[in-house]
Amino acid sequence: VHESILYVIQATNVSETLVIKFPTNHDEQRAIAEGFRRKSGAGFSCCAGAEDGMLVWCLKPTEFDCNQASVGSKKFFCGRKHKFGLNLQACCDHNLKFTNVSIKYPAATSDLLAFENSPFRHTLEQDGFLADGLCIFGDNAYVNRSYMATPFPNVGEETTKDHYNFYHSQLRIHIECAFGVLVQRW
C-alpha cells in the first residue's frame, strides 16, 4: 500500500493536466471570465477566478513539528472550528478547477493574512498580469482592490448593493463548491 501511494503521488506530480497554475495568457483569463459570465444571473463578465480559504484538518502537531515551523501549537488550532489544521488559500475557475493554491500558514492565520503573504497576491499586483477589466472575486475576509472584488459590508435589503452582493456570491460560491469536491474526493 505504501509503495502504491508513493507511485500515485509521483505520477500526479508529473502530470501536465493536473498542474495547478493560474493562466498568464489574457485570452485564457478572458475564457474563464466568459465561463463565469454564462453562470452569472447579472452577466458579470469581470470574474477571472474565485478565491477563499479553507481549514485543512490535521492532528495536533508535535513539539518537533512546531519547532520546525517556528510556531507554537496554539497557532495550528482554529478556535472557530475547534480543530487543528492549516489555512489553505485557493482560487478556482468557473468549472471548479483550482488555478492557484497556497498552504503556508497554520489554522489560526486569517484568510486575509494568508492571502496578503501569498505569491499569488504579489503576482496579481503586477501591472498587466490580469487582462484589462478582470479581477478575482473574494468574500469579506479580503480587501477590495483593483484585482479583488469583495461584497459590500452591512447593506440593507433590496438595495443596489444588496443585489450586487447576491450576484457576487453567485460566482464566489464556486470556490466553496471546489472545496466541497476536494473534501468529498479525498
Side-chain angles (χ1 to χ4, degrees):
V1 172
H2 183 68
E3 288 178 21
S4 296
I5 291 171
L6 290 177
Y7 180 75
V8 170
I9 290 171
Q10 289 170 349
T12 301
N13 287 340
V14 298
S15 171
E16 284 294 318
T17 59
L18 298 177
V19 171
I20 298 174
K21 184 177 179 191
F22 193 87
T24 57
N25 180 293
H26 286 182
D27 290 336
E28 291 176 26
Q29 293 172 1
R30 286 186 190 99
I32 292 172
E34 174 59 21
F36 275 115
R37 186 200 61 76
R38 287 193 307 270
K39 295 181 180 215
S40 171
F44 284 168
S45 61
C46 60
C47 182
E51 175 87 15
D52 203 1
M54 179 183 100
L55 173 67
V56 177
W57 300 352
C58 70
L59 297 174
K60 181 180 179 182
T62 65
E63 281 303 312
F64 177 79
D65 293 334
C66 292
N67 289 336
Q68 291 290 98
S70 301
V71 175
S73 63
K74 289 182 181 180
K75 291 288 185 184
F76 286 93
F77 186 74
C78 176
R80 191 167 57 93
K81 298 198 176 177
H82 303 293
K83 303 248 185 236
F84 286 93
L86 298 166
N87 182 320
L88 166 67
Q89 290 292 303
C91 185
C92 75
D93 67 11
H94 59 287
N95 290 322
L96 310 183
K97 180 180 178 187
F98 288 107
T99 56
N100 186 71
V101 294
S102 175
I103 188 161
K104 294 174 35 176
Y105 292 95
T109 308
S110 70
D111 283 351
L112 177 62
L113 182 61
F115 176 75
E116 289 291 310
N117 291 302
S118 73
F120 187 49
R121 190 221 30 153
H122 297 290
T123 301
L124 289 170
E125 286 186 339
Q126 294 175 7
D127 285 339
F129 175 74
L130 279 176
D132 287 340
L134 298 185
C135 63
I136 305 299
F137 278 30
D139 62 19
N140 282 331
Y142 304 97
V143 175
N144 203 24
R145 297 196 173 133
S146 61
Y147 56 83
M148 176 71 74
T150 61
F152 288 101
N154 307 320
V155 298
E157 292 187 30
E158 296 302 318
T159 65
T160 304
K161 290 179 181 179
D162 179 54
H163 294 295
Y164 168 83
N165 284 355
F166 174 80
Y167 291 111
H168 182 278
S169 70
Q170 188 181 54
L171 298 184
R172 194 181 71 242
I173 197 155
H174 285 77
I175 189 62
E176 300 291 348
C177 294
F179 286 149
V181 171
L182 175 69
V183 168
Q184 289 301 313
R185 174 86 35 105
W186 301 103

